[in-house]
């Protein structure tokens, strides 16, 4: 009886571990070269860390926020 309970515990642990380690989500980030565009900076308020940086391509087709 104890061996059966131990095997159930091991099977459950292996099943849980194998399910939790799979990754179905893959984020695709386009490659941006910063040669053909310009940066827009916002220094934010004095004494508060709320600065922002935005990169925009010259033809305005792509914008990427917070590129720091």
């Amino acid at each position: 009886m104890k061996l059966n309970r131990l095997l159930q515990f091991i099977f459950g642990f292996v099943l849980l571990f194998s399910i939790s380690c799979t990754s179905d989500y893959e984020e695709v980030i386009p490659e941006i070269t910063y040669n053909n565009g310009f940066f827009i900076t916002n220094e934010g308020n004095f004494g508060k860390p709320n600065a922002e940086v935005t990169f925009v391509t010259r033809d305005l087709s792509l914008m990427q926020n917070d590129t720091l």
Side-chain angles (χ1 to χ4, degrees), residues 4 11 15 30 35 66:
N4 189 16
F11 178 72
L15 184 65
N35 295 334
D66 294 329

Side-chain angles (χ1 to χ4, degrees), residues 33-38 55-62:
T33 58
Y34 297 113
N35 295 334
N36 190 17
F38 51 93
F55 177 76
V56 179
T57 57
R58 288 184 193 252
D59 60 356
L60 303 176
S61 64
L62 183 64

